[in-house]
Amino acid sequence: MLSRYVFKFTKSTSRFRKPSSLLVNSGNGSHSAIASIEDEGSFSGRMRSYGTSCAKLLEDVPKDDNPVSQMLVDSFGRLHTYLRISLTERCNLRCQYCMPAEGVDLTPNPQILSQNEIVRLANLFTSSGVNKIRLTGGEPTVRKDIEDLCLHLANLKGLKTLAMTTNGLSLARKPPKLKECGLTSLNISLDTLVPAKFEFMTRRKGHHKVMESINAAIDLGYDPVKVNCVVMRGFNDDEICDFVELTREKPINIRFIEFMPFDGNVWNVKKLVPYAEMFDRVVRQFPSLSRLQDHPTETAKNFKIDGHRGAVSFITSMTEHFCSGCNRLRLLADGNLKVCLFGPSEENCKQRKGRAARAGLCTRRSSEQAAMTDLGLAGGVVSTEQRGAGRSGWLVLGGLIAEA
């Protein structure tokens, strides 16, 4: 549910994030999206400036037998080759930073994508150039057909990575079967190493089950096992170095995530621990911390510590955004396609498929064009800056601009 509610609250708290973005023509037909962020009192110091060349993104695309369709290239040259699929809106935890204690209104089950619909839609994307799929939720492991889904998705032509993000609560017995079904990568969410704090934050018991899931994934050979940790001041910021210590003997990539605002989590800037502060805390205790080379589409800043098997990463969603390198699309559990986590635009793939079929589009176009037309991508993934001034949101589907 996070994907749907993030835009509303980031818009209302925009005074904490003041990006000044430019689209620069490099003179050779490529573009570089450059952003700088300067705080006016909420954070200490000045945030760093950075640039990502979209021409570089194009250079890094492997030349293989599954080329990327122009329908997945946006007006900034970004190739959207990574599809995140929410399998369900349901979750077996009630994390305080994620949803209210009473939960949220759920889409009726008949409107949730079926296994066949998920596989068919995923196949349309992989046939157009998507090479990585991540299964999310809600909590993806609460779906009874999770193993069958992995098996079908893993066999899609052109797919190189099938990943899953899970809270790990019901995962401990599933990794062997999931790996056998083709799951290649695991992210497990864990925000504290203290069982009592885990129960307070999630409103549920089960800290030991999550730890068992992490160890089970390591024993199966997942390397690394990525552990996602949302850092909140006054709750778990005192555990940052304890989490880093986990990387000493085990192939764990601990990923510290800045606390983000969205519906129901009562976000407050005072709870935000900026990347610069987290980095300073880690480097003071682990002075050999050194930066790794990140892929241009990477959302995390990745680091290595001498003598440690694992790695340390920081996801700087609030203080140093990474929009210029984004290659993600999001398919929500109800069939809505969302091209930007922070944007309001959604388009229902199931409804568009029905309209396209009634219009006879599939009989008048090539199979790829007809299929992507079904999804509203006939014009490609387009930036609102290119579509027209005054429109809200950063990315929309081709020709389908939604008001906030």
Side-chain angles (χ1 to χ4, degrees), residues 58-78:
L58 289 169
E59 292 170 4
D60 285 341
V61 175
K63 305 297 187 294
D64 55 23
D65 58 355
N66 190 39
V68 179
S69 166
Q70 284 301 308
M71 295 179 184
L72 294 182
V73 181
D74 69 16
S75 54
F76 291 117
R78 294 174 295 191

Side-chain angles (χ1 to χ4, degrees), residues 231-241 273 277 281:
V231 179
M232 292 158 283
R233 193 180 305 280
F235 172 69
N236 62 351
D237 58 319
D238 60 332
E239 298 183 62
I240 289 176
C241 289
V273 182
E277 181 179 336
R281 292 194 193 188

Side-chain angles (χ1 to χ4, degrees), residues 271-339:
K271 296 181 182 179
L272 173 65
V273 182
Y275 155 58
E277 181 179 336
M278 290 190 281
F279 175 85
D280 287 344
R281 292 194 193 188
V282 174
V283 79
R284 280 200 300 267
Q285 186 161 331
F286 303 93
S288 66
L289 185 73
S290 60
R291 184 72 182 265
L292 297 173
Q293 181 65 47
D294 299 327
H295 189 276
T297 62
E298 178 64 77
T299 60
K301 295 173 172 62
N302 300 297
F303 295 81
K304 184 76 175 175
I305 299 173
D306 290 349
H308 285 223
R309 287 188 62 189
V312 179
S313 302
F314 301 90
I315 299 178
T316 60
S317 309
M318 296 298 294
T319 61
E320 294 187 21
H321 68 70
F322 29 78
C323 303
S324 55
C326 182
N327 67 338
R328 290 152 182 77
L329 297 167
R330 291 172 172 82
L331 180 61
L332 305 184
D334 58 4
N336 278 3
L337 186 66
K338 192 175 182 69
V339 293

Side-chain angles (χ1 to χ4, degrees), residues 2 13 29 73 154 156 198 219 309 336 338 357 365 367 375 383:
L2 181 152
T13 57
V73 181
L156 293 177
F198 177 90
D219 291 343
R309 287 188 62 189
N336 278 3
K338 192 175 182 69
R365 291 176 170 84
S367 58
L375 304 184
S383 158

